Amino acid sequence: MSKPIEFVVFGEALTDFIRQPDGQWRALPGGACWNVARSAARLGIGTGYAGSISSDVFGEELYGLTQAAGLDMRYLQQVDKSPLLAMVTSTTPPHYFFVGDDSADLHFDPSKLPEGWLDAAKVLHFGCISLTREPLASRLLAIAGEAAQRGKRIAFDPNWRKLMDQPRYHVLMRKLLALSHYVKVSDEDLEKLFPGDGNALATLQALAPQAEILLTLGAGGMRWIKGEQIVEQPIYRVEVIDTVGCGDASMGGWIGSILRQPTAPVQTHLHYAAACAALSAARAGAYAATWDEVQALINT
């Protein structure tokens, strides 16, 4: 019998086209929400990635990697629409744009989720550009609202992108923050989400009063915040290959630890969040570490 699906991740899966120094383009499967789902599944958490992908070569690659990560394939939808693409013209400094008018991600149909899925779910995750793309964004907010009413916990990683610089997104973001129990945000995200705010963290706390907040600080580690409580977590030092997907890995590690060892203290969950981020940084691309790999790093 398959394990119950306790963690359901909603949002985009896409293909990154990254311009190389020689002018060639390298295509890599990705997407912040898809990365979070893979990270949790690789830790042994019953996870479903609830999103829609294309049925072409790009979608088939995402399909295969979704299956390989151990995600429950009943949650993934494939449609005969164009793929969502991220064109990364520069990584230093970051510069990118998205190609996806009427693309597959926008055709996600909540009615096609497995029967009774919300009964089994404990945590639902939302984030990144899926919340800027209609009609998908409104569908996801409705799911979050219904789940919260049913007593489910909501996780949210804004994962700031340029598409979020619009009033409509900020309205939706505030609604989702009010529902959230777990919010992961980087120091760079905070600055961009609340430009000109002299105390963006306090603003975030006010908008998400019930949430535990995981503030990531790059090489400065991470900080868990709930009300006046603060717990610090330094980074695990590894040889860094790239930082692609590190934030997603930390989110997957944090929620994965909470679900796998729910009685453990906050510090334990932070160990797993930090170790998942470090193991991702030690590999090229958005690497999702296994439970054994994470434990080995924590215990070194």
Side-chain angles (χ1 to χ4, degrees), residues 21 57 67 82 91 95 100 107 123 172 197 202 213 246 280-281:
V57 63
Q67 193 168 44
S82 60
T91 56
H95 187 270
H107 292 267
V123 180
L172 185 147
D197 189 327
I213 295 172
C246 285
S280 179

Side-chain angles (χ1 to χ4, degrees), residues 252-266:
W254 184 34
I255 302 301
S257 178
I258 288 169
L259 287 170
R260 185 155 174 168
Q261 41 194 4
T263 62
V266 167

Side-chain angles (χ1 to χ4, degrees), residues 72-218:
D72 189 312
M73 300 304 289
R74 296 175 301 162
Y75 290 76
L76 182 66
Q77 300 175 14
Q78 270 190 298
V79 296
D80 189 18
K81 291 288 181 177
S82 60
L84 177 60
L85 307 176
M87 309 303 295
V88 185
T89 57
S90 170
T91 56
T92 310
H95 187 270
Y96 48 84
F97 61 92
F98 298 94
V99 179
D101 293 344
D102 196 38
S103 53
D105 59 305
L106 300 179
H107 292 267
F108 172 70
D109 184 352
S111 71
K112 294 182 179 178
L113 288 170
E115 184 177 355
W117 73 273
L118 191 52
D119 295 330
K122 293 183 178 178
V123 180
L124 282 64
H125 173 84
F126 303 87
C128 209
I129 67 167
S130 60
L131 300 175
T132 70
R133 293 173 55 76
E134 294 291 0
L136 179 61
S138 293
R139 292 174 190 161
L140 298 186
L141 182 62
I143 292 170
E146 179 186 354
Q149 288 181 345
R150 292 270 301 273
K152 307 301 179 177
R153 288 170 281 167
I154 305 300
F156 178 33
D157 181 359
N159 214 333
W160 191 89
R161 299 289 188 268
K162 291 178 182 178
L163 290 176
M164 297 171 186
D165 191 16
Q166 52 178 296
R168 183 175 62 185
Y169 172 76
H170 284 269
V171 171
L172 185 147
M173 178 187 74
R174 282 162 167 76
K175 291 178 179 178
L176 193 51
L177 285 171
L179 300 173
S180 295
H181 299 81
Y182 309 107
V183 177
K184 198 280 291 182
V185 65
S186 71
D187 50 353
E188 294 179 351
D189 288 337
L190 267 182
E191 181 180 342
K192 291 173 180 175
L193 289 167
F194 305 105
D197 189 327
N199 197 346
L201 179 58
T203 299
L204 179 65
Q205 287 182 286
L207 291 169
Q210 67 182 335
E212 301 176 29
I213 295 172
L214 182 62
L215 176 64
T216 60
L217 304 165

